[in-house]
Amino acid sequence: MMKMKWKQQIAIILALTVFVTLMPVGNVQAKSKSPAKLGAKDFICTVDGKKADIIKAAKKEKTWGTFVCEDTAIKSKNDSSIKTKRNVKLGSTASYVKKQYGNTSKVKVNEKDGFYKTIKYNSFQIDVSIWKTYLEYNYKKGSDKYKIRFYLDQKNKVTALVYLKNLDQFQQYPSKEINPGLTFQAPKGKKVTTKTINGKKVYMVPRGTKIKFKKLNTAARLIMYDVDGDIKREGEGDYLQTGAAAVRAGKSYDFETVVNETITNDNEKKLNFDKLGKYLYFTLRFDGEGSYNPKTQQHKYKTAPTVYYFRFK
């Protein structure tokens, strides 16, 4: 089990605040019988022995969130330790959380929840499949609504610790995902299989496989993650590349060539697919269809993004 790096998670979520909408996401609220009355001091936590003020960090943002979590497949070299104001940390039991924060009902993880979708479509190294239920505690300061969530695994232990600001204003993603119609064309005598890694369905792609798309009309983001869950390589553009041209729908392309042309810039050596070394997986995210208002910095999606996970074998 590993603890995600705190600073890394702050960077991930802060980057998402640019895409905030003012549309409600229909979150399920925790029903509390006797929860503790939270104060601003409850949003000061200890990270690696140093104090971190969540409310102060989120002051200029309409929405904000940060979290640390335990994972299943990633092994980190630089684990972070975090402890809340009331001494809850990763691995604490649900009963201990209630003892410190008051009694509240466990809420089943809902895939339609705004925070869940934020992680699903933007933090590709996180295993949310081990998040079974959560305990939630709330605090309001002016018009801003803050939350502390403790996600629990099947053993009722804290597997993710989350601080949120104005979750009801998080980016709204529709239930329907965009479908670029990706197909794999494996070499004769070989097959594309799948394997579960970090709770994700990962395509195990034979060498020499070609790919083909039915529809390509949104931005694409290609990332290679190392075994620590950190970005190892990342495509700079918004489109998949092959040679000097962008990949087009309806045409077959050598998958390794597409990956190399997309993920390698002028200052990097091309990937050697004979010696990729240890890595977690590649991710390929297609943005959802919709419109963007630069003045309000809001997206209105017609379809949600789609994310593919793959490894070469």
Side-chain angles (χ1 to χ4, degrees):
M1 301 292 281
M2 123 185 181
K3 301 171 185 177
M4 295 299 297
K5 300 172 188 176
W6 178 259
K7 291 182 180 179
Q8 176 186 358
Q9 297 310 324
I10 288 178
I12 290 171
I13 302 302
L14 275 177
L16 302 177
T17 60
V18 177
F19 305 105
V20 169
T21 70
L22 299 178
M23 302 175 67
V25 293
N27 301 318
V28 177
Q29 299 295 327
K31 296 180 180 179
S32 303
K33 294 181 179 179
S34 58
K37 184 177 181 180
L38 300 189
K41 290 184 178 180
D42 281 300
F43 289 83
I44 298 176
C45 57
T46 303
V47 184
D48 295 333
K50 297 181 179 180
K51 300 293 183 182
D53 191 326
I54 301 300
I55 292 178
K56 183 178 180 180
K59 185 177 181 179
K60 295 181 180 180
E61 307 294 342
K62 290 182 180 179
T63 69
W64 197 87
T66 188
F67 69 104
V68 291
C69 66
E70 293 185 348
D71 221 318
T72 54
I74 305 172
K75 295 181 179 179
S76 176
K77 298 176 181 177
N78 300 301
D79 289 353
S80 295
S81 62
I82 176 175
K83 184 170 61 175
T84 71
K85 183 69 174 179
R86 306 193 188 199
N87 297 314
V88 173
K89 57 185 179 180
L90 295 177
S92 295
T93 63
S95 59
Y96 182 74
V97 174
K98 290 182 179 181
K99 182 179 179 181
Q100 299 300 99
Y101 286 88
N103 187 43
T104 188
S105 300
K106 287 191 296 184
V107 179
K108 186 176 180 180
V109 170
N110 182 358
E111 293 186 6
K112 295 182 180 180
D113 176 76
F115 179 68
Y116 183 96
K117 284 189 174 183
T118 294
I119 301 305
K120 178 181 179 181
Y121 294 128
N122 298 281
S123 297
F124 313 123
Q125 76 278 46
I126 307 303
D127 183 0
V128 295
S129 71
I130 59 177
W131 299 5
K132 302 302 181 183
T133 57
Y134 64 82
L135 301 171
E136 180 179 287
Y137 300 89
N138 300 282
Y139 170 67
K140 189 173 182 180
K141 183 178 181 180
S143 60
D144 293 320
K145 292 174 284 187
Y146 295 88
K147 298 177 183 291
I148 303 177
R149 278 188 181 180
F150 302 98
Y151 281 87
L152 308 172
D153 60 18
Q154 60 183 2
K155 295 182 179 180
N156 278 323
K157 290 188 176 182
V158 177
T159 190
L161 196 160
V162 183
Y163 290 96
L164 297 166
K165 177 183 179 181
N166 295 333
L167 178 59
D168 59 332
Q169 296 180 33
F170 267 44
Q171 172 69 61
Q172 182 183 22
Y173 292 106
S175 298
K176 183 180 179 181
E177 296 182 349
I178 192 170
N179 182 13
L182 170 63
T183 56
F184 297 100
Q185 303 165 344
K188 187 176 181 180
K190 296 184 179 181
K191 292 183 179 181
V192 175
T193 58
T194 60
K195 183 178 180 180
T196 300
I197 302 175
N198 268 16
K200 314 292 192 301
K201 181 175 78 171
V202 179
Y203 291 96
M204 308 300 289
V205 183
R207 299 288 304 279
T209 293
K210 293 184 177 181
I211 57 170
K212 187 177 182 179
F213 297 95
K214 288 184 179 180
K215 185 178 181 181
L216 285 175
N217 61 349
T218 62
R221 182 185 182 195
L222 180 66
I223 300 176
M224 181 183 188
Y225 286 97
D226 65 20
V227 292
D228 296 324
D230 295 324
I231 293 176
K232 188 172 184 178
R233 287 283 188 96
E234 183 174 14
E236 292 187 336
D238 291 333
Y239 300 96
L240 298 178
Q241 301 289 318
T242 178
V247 170
R248 297 181 179 179
K251 184 178 178 180
S252 296
Y253 297 90
D254 178 75
F255 199 12
E256 293 177 16
T257 300
V258 171
V259 170
N260 240 334
E261 294 292 340
T262 303
I263 214 165
T264 304
N265 62 36
D266 294 336
N267 299 319
E268 296 175 319
K269 292 182 179 179
K270 287 190 175 182
L271 294 172
N272 182 347
F273 287 88
D274 292 321
K275 297 180 180 179
L276 283 178
K278 294 181 179 181
Y279 68 102
L280 189 61
Y281 41 56
F282 290 86
T283 62
L284 178 57
R285 177 194 190 272
F286 289 93
D287 202 4
E289 297 170 300
S291 59
Y292 176 71
N293 187 328
K295 291 184 178 180
T296 61
Q297 296 186 336
Q298 297 175 17
H299 272 94
K300 185 176 181 180
Y301 283 108
K302 294 180 180 178
T303 55
T306 289
V307 185
Y308 296 95
Y309 298 80
F310 60 91
R311 285 180 56 95
F312 290 95
K313 63 178 182 177

